[in-house]
Amino acid sequence: MLSTPLRRLGLIRQISRTMATATSEATYYTKKIYSAVGDPTLMLNHTCLRVKDPVKSVDFYKKYFGMISLGKKDFEDMKFSLYFLAFPWQNLVKNEKGEVEIFANRGVLELTHNWGTEKDPEFKINNGNEEPHRGFGHICFSVANIEETCKRLESEGVKFRKRMQDGRQKDIAFALDADGYWIELIQYVKEEGAGPKEDVGDRFNHTMIRVKDATKSLEFYRNVLGMTLHRTSEHPNAKFTLYFLGYDIPHEDNTASTQFLLELTHNWGTEKDPNFHYHNGNEDPQGYGHICISCKDPGVLCEEIEQKYNEQITWSPRWNHGKMKNLAFIKDPDGYSIEIVPSNLIL
């Protein structure tokens, strides 16, 4: 008898044969990956940021934002450690032993520490917002009352890149973490529209990366990884557009109250410059690492992507080909990394 993943792959192949694989609008990524589009277990699991000093960084997110530790993993042979944090409000998925299943939850923050950086006075994290190494922009936390949150953070000594009263947008702020990463703050309680009407705890709302060609990036995330475009926000005065993508959002939520999304920022005109490119965070100087998607059968997902896109897609590494098994890393059109793992992965 065929195993469940193999039966599922057979069904996906049958669907692919009976349905058109090209979308009428697509130009760059024309083939839909049906194991992504039709997989209800797919979720945006975590964002990885490298940190200089894990003690300072972990303490920052715990002390000022109330995040909790989900676990830590040391990789002695490769000399790095992973720290996983999340907001405690959500009903975290746990295993039979009562332990949190890190990769089965949305909105996880992964902090990566390469041993020894905390002892190097010259070492500095690239926050993704300084020329010539711009690319990653920020993570975003959604809160019930942004004014109260900002007042509290300032009184406790947290530094800000932008306070609410600064700039044109008076309803957002940007705090700075221990490494200088930007943390956007937005408010989810609104008088009108969907979403909570009272304080239900802070949420990891989204991660923002800048993209060179919005059309190409949207096709990649929608057709290859099966994400849905939930909202578009155009800013003609400043000449940029924001695209918010993700997997299923509960009907009662709005995009400000959910967790968690991917925000693509397109500064108009970059797609026309053949020499323009963004820094992906994994080349020197390093900082941002990746986003991670998880699902029940990532091997099936990766196999279909390989079959349909062959050399058009860059892997680093392919599924089950690296030192660490049961994962893969795929590159988007700008060279940003996306980790793909099973929901029940145990490090």
Side-chain angles (χ1 to χ4, degrees):
M1 182 178 292
L2 290 174
S3 66
T4 299
L6 288 176
R7 288 201 305 273
R8 186 163 171 245
L9 180 58
L11 178 61
I12 290 165
R13 286 171 175 164
Q14 183 178 352
I15 293 173
S16 298
R17 285 194 297 269
T18 57
M19 296 179 68
T21 58
T23 61
S24 58
E25 305 88 0
T27 301
Y28 303 99
Y29 298 92
T30 60
K31 302 169 186 175
K32 282 188 178 292
I33 301 301
Y34 293 104
S35 52
V37 176
D39 186 355
T41 71
L42 259 174
M43 68 173 65
L44 271 164
N45 170 249
H46 73 253
T47 291
C48 165
L49 301 176
R50 294 178 179 85
V51 298
K52 177 174 181 173
D53 187 329
V55 175
K56 289 182 180 179
S57 294
V58 170
D59 182 65
F60 175 91
Y61 286 101
K62 284 184 174 182
K63 179 179 179 180
Y64 298 117
F65 290 100
M67 300 186 90
I68 59 173
S69 293
L70 303 184
K72 175 195 174 188
K73 178 67 175 180
D74 296 321
F75 295 86
E76 194 167 347
D77 56 334
M78 292 179 276
K79 293 182 168 39
F80 74 90
S81 298
L82 304 179
Y83 299 79
F84 297 92
L85 302 144
F87 287 113
W89 70 269
Q90 60 181 325
N91 186 18
L92 295 166
V93 177
K94 299 180 180 179
N95 59 24
E96 296 177 352
K97 298 179 181 178
E99 302 166 332
V100 174
E101 292 195 335
I102 294 172
F103 301 98
N105 288 281
R106 302 174 188 269
V108 176
L109 177 63
E110 176 188 287
L111 303 180
T112 295
H113 173 234
N114 293 297
W115 297 358
T117 55
E118 73 281 10
K119 300 175 183 177
D120 183 356
E122 303 300 321
F123 180 83
K124 181 183 178 182
I125 289 290
N126 168 31
N127 68 14
N129 291 299
E130 298 175 4
E131 295 290 5
H133 307 299
R134 292 206 314 159
F136 166 74
H138 59 260
I139 57 175
C140 174
F141 294 160
S142 180
V143 301
N145 189 314
I146 187 172
E147 289 189 7
E148 289 184 1
T149 298
C150 289
K151 287 179 182 178
R152 175 182 61 81
L153 292 173
E154 277 203 83
S155 69
E156 293 173 348
V158 173
K159 296 179 181 179
F160 277 74
R161 171 68 185 185
K162 177 199 175 299
R163 293 171 176 79
M164 292 184 68
Q165 61 268 30
D166 301 332
R168 295 179 180 177
Q169 293 180 279
K170 307 300 183 183
D171 57 346
I172 65 172
F174 283 89
L176 297 174
D177 83 350
D179 289 284
Y181 287 117
W182 295 13
I183 304 169
E184 183 180 12
L185 299 173
I186 63 174
Q187 182 169 304
Y188 59 75
V189 173
K190 299 181 179 180
E191 294 182 2
E192 299 180 356
K197 301 304 179 186
E198 58 184 16
D199 190 344
V200 293
D202 297 351
R203 304 184 178 200
F204 190 166
N205 178 254
H206 69 256
T207 291
M208 186 277 265
I209 55 175
R210 299 175 178 90
V211 298
K212 176 178 179 175
D213 187 324
T215 299
K216 187 179 291 187
S217 294
L218 287 169
E219 287 184 13
F220 174 85
Y221 284 103
R222 296 172 77 180
N223 289 346
V224 180
L225 296 183
M227 293 187 188
T228 298
L229 177 61
H230 293 291
R231 183 167 71 89
T232 299
S233 178
E234 195 167 277
H235 300 262
N237 290 336
K239 297 184 179 179
F240 70 88
T241 304
L242 309 177
Y243 303 90
F244 294 87
L245 301 105
Y247 296 106
D248 289 340
I249 293 180
H251 294 299
E252 68 274 10
D253 280 350
N254 55 34
T255 53
S257 63
T258 193
Q259 105 169 346
F260 112 89
L261 301 170
L262 175 66
E263 176 188 351
L264 305 182
T265 294
H266 174 236
N267 293 296
W268 299 356
T270 54
E271 73 280 8
K272 299 176 183 178
D273 183 350
N275 297 316
F276 183 88
H277 73 277
Y278 282 115
H279 190 282
N280 62 24
N282 290 305
E283 298 170 355
D284 289 333
Q286 292 184 324
Y288 167 76
H290 59 264
I291 58 167
C292 173
I293 61 174
S294 65
C295 62
K296 186 177 180 181
D297 298 320
V300 172
L301 171 64
C302 292
E303 183 173 344
E304 187 183 356
I305 294 172
E306 285 200 64
Q307 288 179 345
K308 288 186 174 178
Y309 283 99
N310 197 12
E311 298 304 318
Q312 186 180 348
I313 296 289
T314 299
W315 300 83
S316 182
R318 295 178 185 271
W319 173 253
N320 258 343
H321 279 57
K323 291 182 179 180
M324 299 170 62
K325 302 304 179 184
N326 293 320
L327 59 79
F329 279 89
I330 193 170
K331 298 290 185 70
D332 84 347
D334 289 280
Y336 295 112
S337 290
I338 301 100
E339 185 178 15
I340 305 174
V341 300
S343 306
N344 62 353
L345 176 67
I346 298 175
L347 290 175

